[in-house]
Amino acid sequence: MARRLQHPSPACEARPDPTPPAIPRTHHTRNELMTTTTPTPRRRTPIWAVVLLIVLVGGVAAIAGIALGMLFGPQQTATRSEVVKYVLPQQKVALASLRIEGVERVKKDGEIFGIPVDAADRMKYLIYSFDANVGLDGARVRVDQTGDHTYLASVPAFDFLSHSNIHFEDPIDDDGLLAFLTDEISQSEMTNRILSDENKAEYVTSSIDTLKSQTEAFYGGIVTSVDPDADLTFEFAK
């Protein structure tokens, strides 16, 4: 028996549902959604290894420097051992300057047949001036340490060192009427007498106090420049 196919009526025709089908929600745990990377621990270099490396590098550099020095230049070793002593002048030391002005007078008595005659006298005057330096020989001065900050300075005899700017006026003669009977007075002898050793020693003697005080100031300054607490005693030659 034949079955009759019935077509559904349009009113009963199936229509698509405009609402999209719901997507089933799947619950994931945090461990499933995030991947956690655990860092691999780094190995730390021991301190003793670093120190050893530095020592080795420094040693290699030092050996290389020595080798280069031996190859490209001579080796040189310098040592110093010194003692500071007082530096005393080794030449003549002028401690005082003198300005000397004077008159040299020479008289020669006249005689006639061995009998003194004033009318035969001769008289000559010579006016002079010059500068002079008096002092000592620095090479003969000694300074010895006698104790803690105590010293003894041995000073030689003072001396006439030099003269300069010497000037002589024209000589003045004061002769008697019969002076022609008497030998003339030598002017050169007069100038030599002015600068004789005897007169030079007299210039030094007359300046002895000044020379001593200048010696103490001069050499005292040298010693105290090295030892400010120095107690210096002077021993002057007679």
Side-chain angles (χ1 to χ4, degrees):
M1 184 167 112
R3 294 183 63 180
R4 185 180 177 182
L5 297 178
Q6 293 182 357
H7 296 280
S9 63
C12 297
E13 185 177 0
R15 297 180 181 180
D17 188 355
T19 303
I23 300 173
R25 301 182 63 181
T26 305
H27 296 280
H28 299 276
T29 64
R30 186 175 183 85
N31 290 333
E32 293 174 339
L33 296 177
M34 298 180 60
T35 302
T36 303
T37 303
T38 302
T40 303
R42 299 175 60 184
R43 297 182 62 186
R44 300 183 62 183
T45 304
I47 296 178
W48 63 267
V50 176
V51 174
L52 179 60
L53 179 61
I54 294 174
V55 172
L56 290 176
V57 172
V60 172
I63 294 173
I66 294 173
L68 290 175
M70 295 178 64
L71 290 174
F72 298 102
Q75 291 183 335
Q76 178 174 314
T77 301
T79 60
R80 173 176 295 179
S81 178
E82 61 183 18
V83 177
V84 178
K85 294 186 177 181
Y86 303 106
V87 180
L88 302 179
Q90 297 300 305
Q91 68 277 359
K92 303 291 184 179
V93 179
L95 298 171
S97 297
L98 309 177
R99 176 63 180 174
I100 300 171
E101 298 177 351
V103 178
E104 181 75 5
R105 172 182 173 274
V106 176
K107 178 184 178 183
K108 183 175 286 189
D109 296 331
E111 296 179 353
I112 299 178
F113 303 112
I115 300 174
V117 178
D118 293 340
D121 291 348
R122 284 185 181 272
M123 186 85 69
K124 188 182 289 289
Y125 298 91
L126 183 62
I127 300 174
Y128 62 90
S129 63
F130 62 92
D131 298 327
N133 290 322
V134 291
L136 49 77
D137 184 359
R140 297 174 58 193
V141 177
R142 289 186 55 187
V143 177
D144 299 314
Q145 186 169 3
T146 58
D148 189 16
H149 301 292
T150 59
Y151 304 87
L152 174 64
S154 301
V155 182
F158 297 111
D159 195 10
F160 184 97
L161 301 181
S162 64
H163 69 274
S164 61
N165 301 324
I166 189 167
H167 176 71
F168 296 102
E169 298 286 349
D170 293 334
I172 300 173
D173 295 315
D174 185 11
D175 299 335
L177 293 176
L178 302 176
F180 61 91
L181 298 174
T182 307
D183 295 336
E184 292 187 358
I185 299 172
S186 173
Q187 181 176 341
S188 61
E189 290 182 357
M190 296 178 68
T191 58
N192 290 337
R193 188 162 40 249
I194 292 171
L195 295 174
S196 65
D197 292 340
E198 182 180 354
N199 282 345
K200 289 179 180 179
E202 187 176 342
Y203 297 142
V204 173
T205 301
S206 63
S207 307
I208 195 69
D209 292 337
T210 300
L211 290 171
K212 287 183 177 181
S213 63
Q214 289 297 104
T215 300
E216 293 173 354
F218 181 75
Y219 286 96
I222 294 176
V223 174
T224 54
S225 66
V226 179
D227 184 356
D229 299 325
D231 182 8
L232 183 60
T233 302
F234 288 86
E235 185 179 77
F236 295 95
K238 302 298 183 181

